[in-house]
Amino acid sequence: MPPGCPGFLGFRWCCCGKRDVPAPKIHGRPGVSGLGFLWKVSCGLASAACRFLSFCDPIPGLPKPSSKHVITGNPLYPPWPAGMEEAMFGMGCFWCSENIFMRMEGVYSTQVGYAGGDIPNPTYEDCCTGQSGHNEVVRVVFDPSVVSYEELLKKFWEKHDPTTLNQQGNDRGTQYRSGIYYYSEAQKATAESTKAAYDKALLAEDWGRTVKTEIVPAPEFYYAEDYHQQYDAKPGARGYCGLRPTGISFPSPASAVS
């Protein structure tokens, strides 16, 4: 198996999936000696192939394929039953955001993970550096005949502060940005209309800031490590919640379109 590579931009990454594996000692100033230069080039090429061609192995500690949701008892992995839809949200710490949705009637399953970054198969540590570009997200699998996408968005707007850039309470960094990641044009339209409605509600309450939420197509979802899944429902959970809602209610449908 090849040794680990330093990679680019401070990442220690290689196509064998190993991280933080020390490079062999090469005498002479780094980047000057022939061997040192060749080592850096080979590591850079390996890192590039790993990132952009997605050849890396999955990270250690992922939920097992047979894993079940702690609350619903349903699978954590697709395929989902016919009629189910997916939604994806970023709204700060994913322990907290998953806890908001996983007990809702009509929610079949939830999973936390990483999305919207520059490398495949990130770890929690990769995400926490802020350099990988990933957001901590919750993916919600729901039955639209029981709970609508609009109802999920109402929870989204009311349960965090979408007006702070890359921050929820004391949690700061791009991994805590507010985001709606849509799976269809219908979801996009609903997300944008509710964003406009909530901005209007904030203005009416003289909140002083506007919505900073990004609304973009759903990127690839990478599962977070198993210990993060349904964290707040597990024995011994710290009960931490870094979300800081505005306290301003989402307007009723009638007032939202007036």
Side-chain angles (χ1 to χ4, degrees):
M1 185 165 289
C5 299
F8 300 152
L9 305 176
F11 289 107
R12 301 180 68 83
W13 196 272
C14 77
C15 288
C16 63
K18 289 183 176 290
R19 295 172 176 79
D20 294 314
V21 181
K25 294 182 179 180
I26 301 173
H27 296 289
R29 291 190 300 159
V32 175
S33 70
L35 286 176
F37 175 76
L38 290 175
W39 173 255
K40 287 181 177 292
V41 169
S42 65
C43 287
L45 291 174
S47 177
C50 175
R51 291 194 197 183
F52 299 112
L53 299 181
S54 300
F55 286 158
C56 283
D57 295 329
I59 63 173
L62 289 180
K64 296 178 181 179
S66 59
S67 295
K68 303 294 184 182
H69 195 278
V70 173
I71 298 294
T72 69
N74 294 322
L76 294 185
Y77 290 92
W80 316 122
M84 297 294 143
E85 295 184 10
E86 293 177 332
M88 188 191 298
F89 306 114
M91 47 194 297
C93 171
F94 54 18
W95 293 351
C96 315
S97 55
E98 185 180 30
N99 195 34
I100 290 169
F101 297 103
M102 66 185 177
R103 292 177 171 85
M104 290 182 68
E105 185 178 0
V107 169
Y108 177 81
S109 183
T110 58
Q111 311 90 41
V112 296
Y114 315 111
D118 300 322
I119 59 174
N121 301 312
T123 64
Y124 182 64
E125 289 73 21
D126 292 330
C127 187
C128 284
T129 66
Q131 296 182 49
S132 75
H134 291 89
N135 198 4
E136 291 191 14
V137 299
V138 55
R139 185 173 65 180
V140 182
V141 183
F142 66 102
D143 183 348
S145 69
V146 179
V147 60
S148 68
Y149 187 59
E150 290 86 348
E151 290 175 280
L152 298 181
L153 284 171
K154 184 178 189 298
K155 290 283 189 182
F156 172 83
W157 295 118
E158 291 183 345
K159 295 300 184 180
H160 82 302
D161 185 351
T163 71
T164 52
L165 184 64
N166 302 329
Q167 179 184 353
Q168 285 296 304
N170 292 325
D171 292 335
R172 302 186 180 193
T174 55
Q175 68 271 32
Y176 300 119
R177 63 188 182 270
S178 177
I180 300 172
Y181 307 102
Y182 58 85
Y183 286 93
S184 67
E185 288 301 308
Q187 284 192 357
K188 176 184 178 183
T190 304
E192 290 178 341
S193 65
T194 58
K195 175 182 176 181
Y198 200 63
D199 250 336
K200 185 177 178 180
L202 293 169
L203 180 63
E205 296 291 334
D206 295 320
W207 181 251
R209 295 191 299 268
T210 58
V211 170
K212 303 296 191 299
T213 303
E214 62 180 5
I215 300 176
V216 298
E220 185 165 358
F221 175 84
Y222 294 102
Y223 283 82
E225 295 83 345
D226 184 62
Y227 71 92
H228 290 301
Q229 307 296 330
Q230 299 92 60
Y231 176 84
D232 280 342
K234 292 176 177 176
R238 291 194 292 136
Y240 170 79
C241 185
L243 306 189
R244 295 294 183 270
T246 65
I248 299 173
S249 298
F250 185 80
S252 65
S255 61
V257 297
S258 62

